[in-house]
Amino acid sequence: MFFRVLPEYCPRPFSLSFQYKCSPTIASCKATETFVADLDSCGLWISQSDALDDGSTGAQLSFMIWNSNPQVGTTTVTTEVYGSGGVDRCDTEVTVVDQQPPSITCNNYNWYDLGPNSIYTLDPTTFASAWDNCADPATGTTVSFLGGEPTFGCADVDTVQTVTLVATDASGN
């Protein structure tokens, strides 16, 4: 189709403008969310936008999650929502908790010298070592005896003694 505007019908200059009416993109995130750390990890991977989304609106939405690998503790995770109406962002305070207990490995030590005082106090790290998914070198994982450190003396020579060891991580597991 062709058309022609004749000057006699337009006594003064004019302009045309077009506006597209799109629904605005509005990000809506959960204010706080708590997750359990991934198995054998000290954090988690947030890959699903619905884990943090709380009803974002707009047309043709897609999501991008920033800081999507938070570690144990509380951190801010930002979600960007993209839609035909623009981009919007919102934040969620994410708390990651460690619920995985440490693993303990017992060593095979059988003989101990009572020493000059004829008394031997056992050191738990002589008997076992522990590994934890969230071991922090400063706080680490502790190995201890259940019921306190046992002490042996001359009366215990040639006897078999059983001790129970416990590993505990910084999260109390």
Side-chain angles (χ1 to χ4, degrees):
M1 168 168 34
F2 295 98
F3 66 92
R4 180 174 170 196
V5 177
L6 300 173
E8 59 269 10
Y9 295 109
C10 295
R12 57 180 182 256
F14 70 94
S15 65
L16 298 174
S17 65
F18 296 94
Q19 264 188 342
Y20 291 100
K21 293 202 174 202
C22 294
S23 54
T25 300
I26 300 172
S28 178
C29 292
K30 296 174 183 174
T32 60
E33 192 66 33
T34 300
F35 298 96
V36 174
D38 290 337
L39 189 63
D40 294 331
S41 165
C42 194
L44 78 148
W45 185 255
I46 302 172
S47 59
Q48 302 269 339
S49 59
D50 59 355
L52 303 177
D53 185 47
D54 196 27
S56 297
T57 59
Q60 301 173 344
L61 296 180
S62 63
F63 296 83
M64 171 69 76
I65 300 172
W66 296 98
N67 191 15
S68 59
N69 187 17
Q71 301 301 301
V72 168
T74 301
T75 189
T76 300
V77 175
T78 300
T79 302
E80 284 187 353
V81 181
Y82 298 87
S84 58
V87 177
D88 197 16
R89 294 172 186 82
C90 56
D91 293 330
T92 302
E93 289 297 313
V94 171
T95 301
V96 180
V97 293
D98 172 26
Q99 293 183 343
Q100 182 177 343
S103 62
I104 189 167
T105 303
C106 293
N107 305 323
N108 291 322
Y109 288 96
N110 295 316
W111 304 97
Y112 297 95
D113 183 10
L114 290 178
N117 297 329
S118 298
I119 294 180
Y120 188 84
T121 302
L122 300 176
D123 176 1
T125 59
T126 304
F127 288 93
S129 59
W131 175 88
D132 185 58
N133 61 319
C134 291
D136 178 350
T139 57
T141 302
T142 59
V143 177
S144 60
F145 291 107
L146 187 63
E149 292 184 355
T151 301
F152 300 101
C154 291
D156 300 304
V157 171
D158 293 329
T159 64
V160 175
Q161 302 294 322
T162 301
V163 293
T164 303
L165 296 155
V166 178
T168 308
D169 66 14
S171 296
N173 299 314

